[in-house]
Amino acid sequence: ELSSGINAEYGGVGSDGHVASLFPHSNTLHSTADFLHTHSPDPSVSPHRLTASLDLISRSRRVVVVVVGEGKRTVVDRLRQGDLEMPVAKVDAAEKLIWYVQKDLL
C-alpha cells in the first residue's frame, strides 16, 4: 500500500469524463485499493486495464489533469455547470491540483 500516495499524478480525460481508466458508473470509483483491474466499456480498445484508484490519485501530492481536444467540450461544460457525476470531477490532490484546459474549451 502507498499510504502517503505518490509524488505526482498526470492524466488526461476521456470524452465521457473518465480519468485513469476509471469510467462513469463503474463500481471501481469507490474502491480504496491502490491499484485496480478495470474494464473499458469501449469495444475498440483493450478491455482489460490496470489503473490507480481514485483514492490513490487523490492522496498524491500533486495531480495534473489535462483536458484537450474538441471531444472534451461537453466534459468542460458539465464541469462548469457543477456536474460532479463524472470521475474527473471527483479527482483531488493532497497538496496541489492543477488543471490544464485547452483555451477554446473554456
Side-chain angles (χ1 to χ4, degrees), residues 41 52 77 92 100:
D77 291 344
D92 200 358
Y100 288 104

Side-chain angles (χ1 to χ4, degrees), residues 72-94:
K72 311 307 180 349
R73 183 170 303 281
T74 301
V75 172
V76 172
D77 291 344
R78 288 176 63 187
L79 287 169
R80 292 178 75 192
Q81 293 169 7
D83 183 343
L84 301 177
E85 292 302 311
M86 295 178 296
V88 70
K90 301 173 188 318
V91 170
D92 200 358

Side-chain angles (χ1 to χ4, degrees), residues 2-59:
L2 299 170
S3 60
S4 62
I6 53 181
N7 193 39
E9 169 76 24
Y10 174 90
V13 177
S15 59
D16 59 356
H18 83 268
V19 61
S21 293
L22 298 168
F23 297 95
H25 313 295
S26 169
N27 59 1
T28 58
L29 291 173
H30 307 289
S31 176
T32 56
D34 286 344
F35 297 98
L36 307 167
H37 178 252
T38 66
H39 298 279
S40 170
D42 183 348
S44 68
V45 298
S46 173
H48 303 288
R49 297 173 177 223
L50 179 64
T51 188
S53 68
L54 190 57
D55 186 64
L56 176 61
I57 293 168
S58 295
R59 289 193 326 260

